[in-house]
Amino acid sequence: MLWQHYVFRRGAAVSDMWDHFFQDREMRLLYIGGRGFDPRAQMVLRKVVETLQSSGTKIAAANQLLVGLGRYELDGNLKAMTEANALELTRTFRPIGQTEELMMDARGEDGEEVSTSNALRRGVSEILGRVAGCTDILLDVSSLPRVAYLAILTGLLQHLVPNKDVPDALFAGGINFQVLVAEDAALDSAITSEDPSAELVTIPGFSIALYAESMKDWPMVWFPILGESRLGQLNMVMSAIPDGAEICPIVPHPSKSLRRAEELLTEYKSLLIDKLQVPVSNLLYVSESNPFETYRQLLSAMDRYRKSLRILGGCRLAVTPLSSKLVTLGAGLACFEMRLGSHDEDYGVAIPYAEPMRYLASKEVLTDTKAEIVSLLLTGLAYA
């Protein structure tokens, strides 16, 4: 288990960690954020810039990359918030460095439409081209769509940790990779996503288990991570899940909302329990507030199925994250680690997802957030 020991901070503890971590050293920084409508990204960036300026860090180079996906349908208010957000993020970063925008467009240079999966692959490749020479990479997922931050997270980890079996694998050559998020699970649930695309999206590097001819006869275990109002997306992904697959729904528990797991099971009961006859014993419960606990719980479940199904020749493990950001990040870490050991093995890992084409959220809900800054330090000096 890569992150048997980990660095995870939230709230005031994040500032305490940064005060020591940024102090009195030279930094070449790549800050990756979202060019989206969620204003929580401003909260995170302001805190980062304030800490860097007060900690005595020598900033040799600093670049901010705002990543956007332009294919979503947004109403006038959300479009205006997206533009205002980009301007404010650029202004906030200006005292320490330059800002550049990267659109993961669904169209190629020749104007031809490309799949979202290919657009993600191209975007991650461009980001990796900017990593050389960096001492610190900060990925803020607060205003990034789920498919974008999962693709960037797993792509960067694959670059930094290509082999988990080497000594001090997470040291990653001393490159400090942090994932940041202004966490508010209630707000994540209040952002409504509609009109799932008919095109199934797979995170780059996590599609072979779905389509490889050599694996088609292996049994599949599907882990849908349930989130509010995601039934349309769940149904769309189900079209790629073979009949007879073992289904293990995942719900957040414990949760800040004490009845959240119960309410999610009620919402999906007609599909999962009544129609698909999923046994209650197949339910998995993961931590809503600690992504490393989600990572451990999901990784352990995937490994148990891998060992049990080895007698049948192999298995396919599919994870569909439809929950809040911290739970999704934990799932991304588990899938990354499982895939690291899957070469020439008897299993494969996939992350199938149905990307919504339209997002709905009121300005009042977005601005009235009680978000708390959370930091996951995944590689670097702390793991020497």
Side-chain angles (χ1 to χ4, degrees):
M1 189 172 286
L2 275 171
W3 289 279
Q4 180 70 36
H5 305 285
Y6 56 84
V7 181
F8 175 64
R9 300 289 187 272
R10 63 186 314 134
V14 173
S15 297
D16 292 340
M17 180 186 75
W18 286 348
D19 285 340
H20 296 286
F21 194 62
F22 293 154
Q23 191 173 28
D24 297 329
R25 66 182 178 89
E26 183 174 282
M27 177 184 292
R28 294 182 298 280
L29 170 67
L30 175 62
Y31 189 97
I32 306 167
R35 195 188 190 282
F37 57 77
D38 198 321
R40 286 179 286 180
Q42 297 180 28
M43 176 194 311
V44 178
L45 183 59
R46 276 197 298 267
K47 192 64 180 175
V48 169
V49 173
E50 288 172 4
T51 306
L52 286 173
Q53 290 179 313
S54 63
S55 63
T57 305
K58 180 183 178 182
I59 301 176
N63 294 284
Q64 177 178 220
L65 188 62
L66 295 181
V67 179
L69 280 81
R71 62 182 303 179
Y72 302 124
E73 295 180 18
L74 305 175
D75 62 25
N77 282 333
L78 292 186
K79 286 181 179 178
M81 291 186 71
T82 299
E83 297 304 318
N85 211 22
L87 288 173
E88 181 60 24
L89 292 171
T90 301
R91 186 197 66 79
T92 303
F93 197 79
R94 189 172 295 130
I96 64 170
Q98 302 296 316
T99 297
E100 183 182 357
E101 295 186 359
L102 171 64
M103 297 303 294
M104 289 186 177
D105 290 325
R107 293 190 179 275
E109 295 179 0
D110 56 2
E112 290 294 319
E113 186 170 340
V114 299
S115 68
T116 301
S117 300
N118 284 333
L120 291 172
R121 190 172 292 106
R122 291 179 182 181
V124 171
S125 179
E126 289 199 37
I127 290 171
L128 292 178
R130 293 166 166 80
V131 168
C134 291
T135 62
D136 292 78
I137 304 170
L138 273 62
L139 170 63
D140 176 18
V141 307
S142 303
S143 193
L144 278 169
R146 184 177 282 105
V147 289
Y149 68 74
L150 277 175
I152 297 169
L153 169 72
T154 53
L156 284 169
L157 283 174
Q158 182 63 46
H159 177 78
L160 296 171
V161 190
N163 185 350
K164 68 178 181 180
D165 296 323
V166 300
D168 295 330
L170 294 182
F171 178 62
I175 300 175
N176 306 297
F177 177 32
Q178 281 189 70
V179 179
L180 310 175
V181 56
E183 192 248 347
D184 185 344
L187 177 54
D188 290 338
S189 302
I191 298 175
T192 304
S193 55
E194 298 181 348
D195 302 334
S197 172
E199 169 208 347
L200 193 67
V201 178
T202 52
I203 303 303
F206 294 89
S207 60
I208 295 177
L210 282 180
Y211 305 117
E213 191 72 18
S214 61
M215 299 182 185
K216 70 175 184 177
D217 294 327
W218 290 354
M220 176 174 283
V221 185
W222 182 36
F223 299 90
I225 306 176
L226 304 183
E228 288 78 2
S229 304
R230 300 292 193 268
L231 187 58
Q233 292 171 258
L234 193 70
N235 276 313
M236 193 63 68
V237 175
M238 277 184 58
S239 64
I241 303 300
D243 295 337
E246 185 82 355
I247 302 175
C248 301
I250 298 176
V251 292
H253 181 77
S255 169
K256 286 185 178 179
S257 174
L258 299 180
R259 294 177 58 87
R260 188 182 182 201
E262 181 181 335
E263 290 167 352
L264 283 169
L265 292 175
T266 300
E267 180 179 349
Y268 291 94
K269 178 178 180 293
S270 60
L271 173 64
L272 296 176
I273 308 298
D274 299 340
K275 180 180 178 180
L276 299 177
Q277 300 289 303
V278 175
V280 176
S281 58
N282 277 21
L283 287 172
L284 297 176
Y285 299 92
V286 299
S287 172
E288 177 189 78
S289 58
N290 188 331
F292 286 104
E293 289 304 314
T294 298
Y295 148 79
R296 288 178 171 182
Q297 290 157 316
L298 178 56
L299 184 64
S300 297
M302 296 167 80
D303 197 48
R304 286 196 301 272
Y305 274 104
R306 177 185 67 83
K307 292 175 180 176
S308 299
L309 295 173
R310 182 181 291 161
I311 194 172
L312 299 178
C315 70
R316 294 179 288 169
L317 305 164
V319 179
T320 299
L322 299 169
S323 192
S324 50
K325 292 183 185 296
L326 288 183
V327 174
T328 300
L329 288 171
L333 295 180
C335 290
F336 164 74
E337 181 161 343
M338 283 298 295
R339 179 177 172 269
L340 264 187
S342 65
H343 303 297
D344 301 321
E345 290 280 353
D346 50 7
Y347 68 97
V349 185
I351 308 179
Y353 185 72
E355 180 68 352
M357 292 291 94
R358 187 154 60 105
Y359 285 94
L360 299 172
S362 71
K363 184 176 181 179
E364 292 73 21
V365 169
L366 289 169
T367 54
D368 189 33
T369 178
K370 304 295 190 296
E372 183 178 43
I373 297 178
V374 174
S375 171
L376 294 72
L377 181 57
L378 299 181
T379 70
L381 300 174
Y383 297 96

